[in-house]
Amino acid sequence: MNIDTFRDYCLAKKGVTEGLPFGPDNLVLKVMGKMFSIVSLDEVPPRANLKCDPDRAIELREEYEDNILPGYHMNKQHWNTLVLDGRLNPKLIFELIDHSYELVVNGLTAKLKKELEDL
């Protein structure tokens, strides 16, 4: 999967914005101002950090040990780094993007959830 496909899928979700707060090489995707993905734009192959349930994160790292790693520069209990070199099934990548997005949405305040719902 390429960065454009990854980015477009994320941006199609409700309440998602993008920015470069850590410099031009790291695209940050947020839902209602809360980060759910960071994509490294200067890595070859591309890499993306996604939030993940801690138990599932461990299972994914064991099953896809070359392509799903502990989150680089993130809390390794709650974040995974996906190596986007074409070996991960796009369906799995989309599922993991959805999972990250949903974890963040579920953690939003009631006020932010209402604002998201009203978008």
Side-chain angles (χ1 to χ4, degrees):
M1 174 175 297
N2 65 41
I3 293 298
D4 290 329
T5 302
F6 186 98
R7 177 182 168 266
D8 290 345
Y9 185 80
C10 291
L11 288 174
K13 296 186 159 302
K14 196 176 206 180
V16 172
T17 58
E18 64 181 339
L20 300 167
F22 305 123
D25 298 330
N26 295 293
L27 177 66
V28 175
L29 296 146
K30 297 179 179 183
V31 55
M32 302 306 290
K34 303 291 183 182
M35 181 170 53
F36 74 96
S37 181
I38 301 176
V39 181
S40 182
L41 300 175
D42 63 345
E43 297 271 346
V44 178
R47 293 174 181 246
N49 285 356
L50 292 170
K51 195 160 190 165
C52 191
D53 170 79
D55 292 331
R56 186 164 186 214
I58 292 168
E59 292 170 8
L60 289 164
R61 291 175 201 161
E62 289 173 355
E63 186 172 351
Y64 303 97
E65 63 184 30
D66 292 332
N67 287 86
I68 299 181
L69 314 169
Y72 183 70
H73 283 299
M74 304 298 284
N75 179 330
K76 290 166 181 21
Q77 184 177 0
H78 295 279
W79 290 83
N80 280 336
T81 297
L82 279 60
V83 179
L84 305 176
D85 63 0
R87 291 191 283 172
L88 289 174
N89 185 321
K91 182 179 176 185
L92 174 64
I93 296 169
F94 293 141
E95 177 189 324
L96 294 175
I97 291 169
D98 293 343
H99 178 64
S100 181
Y101 175 88
E102 290 165 12
L103 283 173
V104 173
V105 167
N106 289 338
L108 293 174
T109 63
K111 179 183 176 187
L112 286 175
K113 285 180 184 176
K114 175 74 170 111
E115 287 178 23
L116 177 62
E117 186 179 303
D118 291 343
L119 290 177

